[in-house]
Amino acid sequence: MQPTITSDVVVAYAQCPRKAYLLLYSPEQGEPHEYVRILEQQRRENQARYLDRLQHIHPEVYPYTVEHLRNGSAVLRNACLQADGLAARCDVLTKVEEPSPGGQPWYEPTMCVGMYSISATQKLALAFTGYVLERLQHTLPMAGRLIAMDGTSHTVTLAKSATDLMPLLEPLQAWTTGASPEPPPIVLNKHCPLCPFHRACQAQAEQEDNLSLLHGVTARVKRQYEKKGIFTVKQLSYLFKPRKRNKRSRKPPPVTHKLELQALAIRENKIYLQELPAVSRQPVELFVDIEGVPDRQCYYLIGVLVCQADTTTPYAFWADTAWEERHIWQQFVDLVGQYPDAPIYHYGSYEPRALATLAKRYHTDSEHLTPRLVNVNQYIYGKVYFPVRSNGLKDIGHFIGAKWTSPHASGLQSLVWRHQWEATREATSKDLLLTYNAEDCRALQLLTDELSKIQGAADILSQVEFANQPKRHTTEASAQLHNQLGVMLQFAHANYDRQKIRFHQHDKDAHEERQGKTTFRRGDKTGYQGQRKVRPRPTKVVQVPHATCCATCGYAPLRPTARVSKRLLIDLVLTRHGVKKAITEYAGIQGYCPKCGKYQIPAALRTYGVRQLYGHGFKAWVTYHRVALRMSYGSIAEVLAEQFHEKEPKHYISTMMKDMGTYYAETEQRIMQHLRASPFIHADETPVNIRGVTQYAWVFTNGKYSVFKLTATREATLVHEFLTNYNGILISDFYPAYDAVRCRQQKCWVHLIRDLNNDLWAAPFDTELETFVAAVRDLIIPIMHAVQQYGLQKKHLQHFRQSVDHFYRQVILHKPYASEYVLTYQKRFIRYRENLFTFLEHDGIPWHNNTAENAIRHLAIQRDMSPSLYESIMGHYLVLLGIRQTCRAQGKSFFRFLFSGETDLDTFEARKRKR
C-alpha cells in the first residue's frame, strides 16, 4: 500500500530526510519528546477555544465534508483534506467572498498552533495544507492564517511559501511512487532531541562513528567529506594538519572551528589549543544563567553565582508569573550594582539577548551593564578544543567534572519543568529548575577556572596539547639521542667548515672557551647599498660599412646609393661605478644589386630588427633581477621605468628571458658534460605550480655545476635519460624512483637521521625504537668523527665496513621486532644496505644530499613567491637558474658573466677592479 504524505512528513523532511522516511515506512514510530506532547496538548486547547469563539461569530459552522466544500458553505471545521496521495488536517476552512477564477467556491485554510509565536515549520505546514486544498478546489488560496496561543491571527501568503514547498515535496513523491526507496543516511542535527527516532539514530550513529556526531557537521559538510573518502570521526581526525601563520599578513587569521581538530581531540582524548585562552580574572566575579520561555519572550529565573576570595554565594530570582518579571529584573540589577567592577560571565548569546530585552522592556540604562558581559564561549570557539562532540556547556562540563542532578537536564527539559510547575504549582518542578540553574552557574565557573588553568600551565599539563606545535615528550636517554642526532644534521650543513660542530657538549663548551669570540653566521645583515639612478649619455651614431655582396643572389660588388639604413639599440653597459644606459644609432648606406634589382642593407644591421631593440646588456640586467634577485615581472618593469625611463609591458620581460635562455643553451650543454664526467651527481626534485597544474623541477649538481629540468610528472624518466651510461655515483633521497637508475648510489643520511629523530619524538615511550636509534647512533657517530677529522677519504673510512657488518648482524638481519617504527626501518636498512655506505669505499663521496637541496632551495623560494608560473618561460628560466647556481658555487659573478656575453663559464673570469 502506498504511504500517504502528510504535513508532519513534509515538515519532518525539511528538518531531516531520515525522519520523514521513518514516519512513512518504519513500523516503530517511537516516543515523542515530552515537550512535543505539551505543544500538541496546547494546540488542541487553542483549537477548542478558537472554534468556540468562531461559532459565536459565525452561527453556520459546518463539519467538513466534500459535499459542504462543493456547496460553498461559509465555514468548515476539522477538515481532513486528501488528494493524490497527500493528506492534510486543517482546523478551519473559510470561504472567500470573491469568486474564484473558475467560478467555483474556494476557501482559505486556518490552523491553530500550540505556541505564542509562529515558526517556519508551522508556516510550511500551512503551505502544504494550501497545496492539498488547491488540488481539491483547483485554485491556490491567496493566504492562510495561523492562530497563536494568545488568539492572535497571523496571515501567511501561500503563493510565496509554495516555492519552499516544492523542493521538499518532489523527493517525497518519488519515494511513495517508487519501489523500495533506500533510507537516507543518518545526519544528526539540532532537531534530534524532539524526534521520536532520536535514540535509535543516536545508537546507530555511535556504532558507525558517524561524522554528524560532531556538532556543525551538516548534510552538506558530510557529503563533502565523503567525497574525500572520510566517513567516520576517527578518519576525520587524521585530516588535521598543523598550519603556520602567514607572517606577511597584517590581519589576524579568522577564528573558525576546525572539525578535523575537534575529531583529533576526541581520538587522543586531549585538549588541543589553537590559541591560548586569554581569560582576565578579577577578585570578584559574577556567573549568570537565565531561564525563559522563548515563544512567550518572557523570563522567569535569573541565577547569579557571586565568587569572591574563597566564598561563593548563589542567588536565584524567581518569577511565578510574567507580571513578576519586572521584580526579578530589578533584583538582578541591584545585585550586580553592588559589584560595579566585577565581570559578568555567561555562556553563549542567549543571556546578552535576554538582558538587552529586559533592559529595553523596563527602561533600564544598560550602558554600565553591557561592557561587563564576558562570553566564555569566545575563549573556546576555534581556540580550545575539548575532547567532546560540541562546545555546549553540558558536553564540556561533563568532561571537566561538572555535575547535574537530573540526567535529562537541558534547556529543552527546563521548558517541560516550567510547564509542569505552571500546571500544578508543585514544588518538585520548581526545585528541579532552581537546581538546574544553579548547577549551570557552577559549571560555568568551573569552566572558567579550567580555562585559566590551561592559560597558565598549558606547557606542563599532560592532557593539553598544542595544535600547531605539538609537545615533544621524551625520556632522559632519548633527550641525549635527540641532541646528538641534531648535531649530526648540523654537521651536514654547508657552513660546517666555518662553524665546527662538536658531537659532545663538553667539547663544544671547551671550544667556545678557546675561541672567545662570536662567529659570523650566514643570514646576518652586512648592509645594503641602494641603487643609484644613472643619467644616460647623449645619443651617439656609429657608421657601419655598406654591404659588398647581394644577400639574395650573391652578386658582387654592389653599387653605393644615397639611401641610408638606421637601427637604434638601447643597451646597459657596466661602468666602474655601476650601470649606465647607452643609446646607440647604427647607420650605413644601402647597396644596389643590378642583377636582381634589390637594395641591400649593411651586413652589420641585418642582425637587428626594423624596430627599436634592446641589447644584450639590457637583457642581462633583466635576467639577473629575475633569476638572482627573484623580482617579479611587475617589479622589474617598475624599476626599468623609474631608473632607466624605459616603459615596457611585463610580457616583454618574459620575451627577454626566452632570448637569454636560448642564447645560453650552449652553456647548459657544457655544464651537463661536466656533470656526466663528475664522479658523483646529486639529484633532487620539487613540485612547481604551472598555471594551476603541478609539475616537477629537477636539479642535478655536483657542488660545482648545476642543471635544472622540468617534467610534467614525478616519474624518473628524465633521471634515467640524464644518467644514461653514467659511471659515477648518484646521491639522492629515498624516493623509490631513483632506485632503478643503473649506477652506483649513495642514499642521504640526513633524510634517514631526520626520520629517526621525528619518529622518536612521535613515540617517546617506544623503548624498542629508542634502543634501535641508539644502535644507529653508535654506528654513525664514529664515522662522522672520522669524516670531520680526515675528510671523505677512503683510507680512513673503509675500515668502518666491519662496524657496518657487525651492526647488520646484531641489529638488522634476522632480528624480530614488535615496534611498527622499527620494522619499517629494518626493511629500509635491508633494502639500502649497499647504498647507505657507498661513501666508505670511495674518495670524496658525500654522505648526504644537502648539496642538491641547497641548489634547489632558490627555486623553492621563487615558487613560494610566485604561486603560479608559465610553462612557456619555465624551461628558459631553469636554464638561467642552473647557470646562476653554477656561478655561485664557483665563486663567479653571475651578474658580470651575463654582461660579458660569453657562453663558456670555464674560460670566464671576473676581472678584479684595480684600486
Side-chain angles (χ1 to χ4, degrees), residues 329 347 459 491 555 572:
W329 168 247
Y347 197 82
D459 291 333
F491 178 50
Y555 178 82
L572 299 178

Side-chain angles (χ1 to χ4, degrees), residues 615-625 660 664 895 898-900:
H616 182 87
F618 201 98
K619 297 176 183 178
W621 186 93
V622 169
T623 300
Y624 179 78
H625 282 72
M660 295 296 280
Y664 285 106
F895 182 75
L898 292 175
F899 270 87
S900 72

Side-chain angles (χ1 to χ4, degrees), residues 111-377:
M111 298 175 62
C112 298
V113 299
M115 301 176 66
Y116 287 83
S117 58
I118 304 304
S119 66
T121 57
Q122 293 160 352
K123 292 180 181 179
L124 180 62
L126 182 64
F128 176 74
T129 301
Y131 180 80
V132 179
L133 183 58
E134 178 191 9
R135 296 282 177 160
L136 295 173
Q137 64 185 15
H138 308 293
T139 302
L140 178 66
M142 296 296 294
R145 281 169 292 279
L146 293 171
I147 309 301
M149 283 290 292
D150 57 1
T152 305
S153 176
H154 300 268
T155 302
V156 179
T157 303
L158 297 183
K160 295 181 180 179
S161 302
T163 57
D164 298 330
L165 176 65
M166 294 312 298
L168 306 175
L169 198 55
E170 290 173 357
L172 288 172
Q173 291 175 326
W175 282 355
T176 56
T177 57
S180 303
E182 292 292 327
I186 293 177
V187 182
L188 304 181
N189 58 43
K190 63 181 181 181
H191 302 288
C192 289
L194 293 171
C195 178
F197 310 104
H198 173 54
R199 292 184 179 179
C201 289
Q202 183 73 26
Q204 185 174 342
E206 297 273 2
Q207 184 179 1
E208 297 174 354
D209 194 21
N210 194 285
L211 285 173
S212 63
L213 288 169
L214 295 181
H215 180 74
V217 176
T218 62
R220 178 172 174 270
V221 172
K222 188 171 181 285
R223 286 194 299 270
Q224 290 175 343
Y225 281 123
E226 288 175 347
K227 289 180 180 178
K228 301 177 182 179
I230 304 301
F231 299 93
T232 66
V233 175
K234 186 174 182 179
Q235 291 175 338
L236 179 63
S237 68
Y238 291 98
L239 284 189
F240 177 74
K241 295 181 179 179
R243 302 289 185 184
K244 290 184 178 180
R245 179 181 174 183
N246 186 359
K247 296 181 179 179
R248 298 179 182 177
S249 178
R250 297 182 179 180
K251 297 181 179 180
V255 179
T256 57
H257 181 75
K258 299 178 180 178
L259 294 169
E260 297 88 349
L261 186 53
Q262 191 73 61
L264 177 62
I266 294 173
R267 191 190 82 198
E268 299 294 334
N269 196 31
K270 289 185 177 181
I271 303 171
Y272 274 80
L273 301 182
Q274 191 75 26
E275 181 181 324
L276 274 175
V279 185
S280 178
R281 306 305 296 271
Q282 300 296 329
V284 181
E285 296 173 331
L286 309 180
F287 298 88
V288 176
D289 186 61
I290 300 177
E291 311 297 339
V293 183
D295 71 299
R296 299 185 198 175
Q297 296 183 352
C298 67
Y299 307 94
Y300 61 86
L301 176 58
I302 303 177
V304 183
L305 186 65
V306 180
C307 299
Q308 49 185 340
D310 296 330
T311 62
T312 58
T313 306
Y315 294 87
F317 306 122
W318 172 272
D320 286 345
T321 64
W323 301 105
E324 296 181 8
E325 184 184 72
R326 177 192 292 271
H327 177 62
I328 66 171
W329 168 247
Q330 190 59 50
Q331 287 179 306
F332 171 76
V333 172
D334 292 341
L335 176 64
V336 299
Q338 298 176 19
Y339 309 98
D341 298 326
I344 304 174
Y345 293 100
H346 63 91
Y347 197 82
S349 59
Y350 182 76
E351 278 73 20
R353 290 201 305 268
L355 296 176
T357 300
L358 292 170
K360 183 178 180 181
R361 184 176 296 170
Y362 300 112
H363 309 288
T364 305
D365 184 10
S366 61
E367 292 184 359
H368 68 286
L369 187 64
T370 303
R372 296 168 57 187
L373 297 178
V374 179
N375 185 4
V376 177
N377 181 259

Side-chain angles (χ1 to χ4, degrees), residues 343-637:
I344 304 174
Y345 293 100
H346 63 91
Y347 197 82
S349 59
Y350 182 76
E351 278 73 20
R353 290 201 305 268
L355 296 176
T357 300
L358 292 170
K360 183 178 180 181
R361 184 176 296 170
Y362 300 112
H363 309 288
T364 305
D365 184 10
S366 61
E367 292 184 359
H368 68 286
L369 187 64
T370 303
R372 296 168 57 187
L373 297 178
V374 179
N375 185 4
V376 177
N377 181 259
Q378 70 179 344
Y379 302 119
I380 298 176
Y381 180 80
K383 300 175 183 178
V384 181
Y385 291 80
F386 290 91
V388 293
R389 291 168 178 165
S390 78
N391 281 341
L393 183 60
K394 304 296 184 301
D395 285 346
I396 298 177
H398 284 302
F399 173 75
I400 62 177
K403 303 293 183 182
W404 279 267
T405 303
S406 172
H408 307 295
S410 66
L412 184 61
Q413 188 63 36
S414 70
L415 296 176
V416 175
W417 290 334
R418 177 67 182 185
H419 175 81
Q420 292 173 347
W421 182 84
E422 290 178 345
T424 63
R425 297 286 170 156
E426 291 182 356
T428 304
S429 299
K430 181 177 180 179
D431 291 341
L432 286 172
L433 284 167
L434 293 174
T435 302
Y436 166 66
N437 180 265
E439 289 171 342
D440 269 1
C441 291
R442 283 194 289 270
L444 181 57
Q445 179 204 10
L446 186 61
L447 175 57
T448 307
D449 292 341
E450 182 70 16
L451 292 174
S452 297
K453 179 182 176 182
I454 294 173
Q455 179 182 359
D459 291 333
I460 60 175
L461 292 175
S462 60
Q463 74 274 21
V464 177
E465 191 65 84
F466 292 98
N468 291 330
Q469 191 174 1
K471 296 177 185 176
R472 292 182 165 184
H473 305 283
T474 184
T475 63
E476 184 176 353
S478 294
Q480 184 180 4
L481 288 173
H482 287 305
N483 291 333
Q484 292 176 326
L485 293 175
V487 167
M488 293 165 64
L489 293 175
Q490 294 179 34
F491 178 50
H493 199 278
N495 271 356
Y496 78 94
D497 278 331
R498 285 180 285 173
Q499 187 177 358
K500 290 295 185 181
I501 301 300
R502 304 299 162 183
F503 288 98
H504 298 288
Q505 184 64 33
H506 60 83
D507 293 341
K508 181 178 178 180
D509 295 340
H511 175 72
E512 291 178 352
E513 290 178 3
R514 290 193 299 269
Q515 291 293 327
K517 59 181 181 180
T518 303
T519 58
F520 177 82
R521 290 177 172 83
R522 186 177 67 176
D524 292 346
K525 294 184 177 180
T526 58
Y528 171 74
Q529 181 180 359
Q531 293 179 333
R532 295 173 295 178
K533 183 175 179 181
V534 181
R535 294 183 178 180
R537 291 182 178 179
T539 302
K540 68 176 182 179
V541 178
V542 176
Q543 295 293 334
V544 297
H546 64 83
T548 59
C549 179
C550 179
T552 304
C553 64
Y555 178 82
L558 300 178
R559 298 177 185 175
T561 66
R563 293 186 178 184
V564 178
S565 294
K566 297 179 180 180
R567 294 292 185 270
L568 190 67
L569 189 68
I570 301 176
D571 210 350
L572 299 178
V573 296
L574 294 181
T575 67
R576 183 174 181 180
H577 300 291
V579 179
K580 72 173 183 179
K581 176 181 174 182
I583 305 175
T584 306
E585 185 182 71
Y586 295 89
I589 63 174
Q590 298 181 4
Y592 175 75
C593 177
K595 183 177 180 180
C596 62
K598 295 183 178 180
Y599 291 89
Q600 301 293 330
I601 65 173
L605 301 184
R606 290 173 188 165
T607 56
Y608 306 131
V610 295
R611 298 182 180 180
Q612 172 179 301
L613 292 175
Y614 291 102
H616 182 87
F618 201 98
K619 297 176 183 178
W621 186 93
V622 169
T623 300
Y624 179 78
H625 282 72
R626 175 59 176 170
V627 177
L629 302 186
R630 309 188 191 97
M631 290 179 62
S632 65
Y633 292 151
S635 299
I636 294 174

Side-chain angles (χ1 to χ4, degrees), residues 706-816:
S706 298
V707 164
F708 291 83
K709 294 293 181 181
L710 182 70
T711 60
T713 67
R714 204 183 177 194
E715 295 179 1
T717 305
L718 171 69
V719 183
H720 290 272
E721 294 174 353
F722 189 89
L723 298 177
T724 301
N725 299 324
Y726 177 64
N727 296 321
I729 297 173
L730 172 64
I731 304 173
S732 68
D733 55 25
F734 291 90
Y735 177 43
Y738 293 114
D739 297 347
V741 178
R742 296 184 177 180
C743 66
R744 292 290 305 274
Q745 295 191 31
Q746 170 62 52
K747 292 302 178 182
C748 178
W749 268 91
V750 166
H751 281 78
L752 180 57
I753 293 172
R754 189 182 297 137
D755 292 343
L756 288 167
N757 204 25
N758 292 338
D759 287 340
L760 190 58
W761 281 119
F765 305 110
D766 189 335
T767 56
E768 197 170 58
L769 175 62
E770 184 178 291
T771 303
F772 182 85
V773 175
V776 177
R777 183 268 320 268
D778 294 340
L779 169 68
I780 196 64
I781 278 187
I783 300 177
M784 297 299 104
H785 273 299
V787 170
Q788 186 174 23
Q789 184 175 1
Y790 304 108
L792 296 167
Q793 297 183 24
K794 175 182 176 180
K795 64 179 181 180
H796 295 292
L797 298 178
Q798 62 182 355
H799 69 272
F800 285 106
R801 263 296 178 185
Q802 298 179 0
S803 301
V804 173
D805 295 339
H806 178 76
F807 168 78
Y808 270 84
R809 288 193 302 270
Q810 298 296 321
V811 180
I812 302 298
L813 300 176
H814 311 297
K815 184 79 172 180

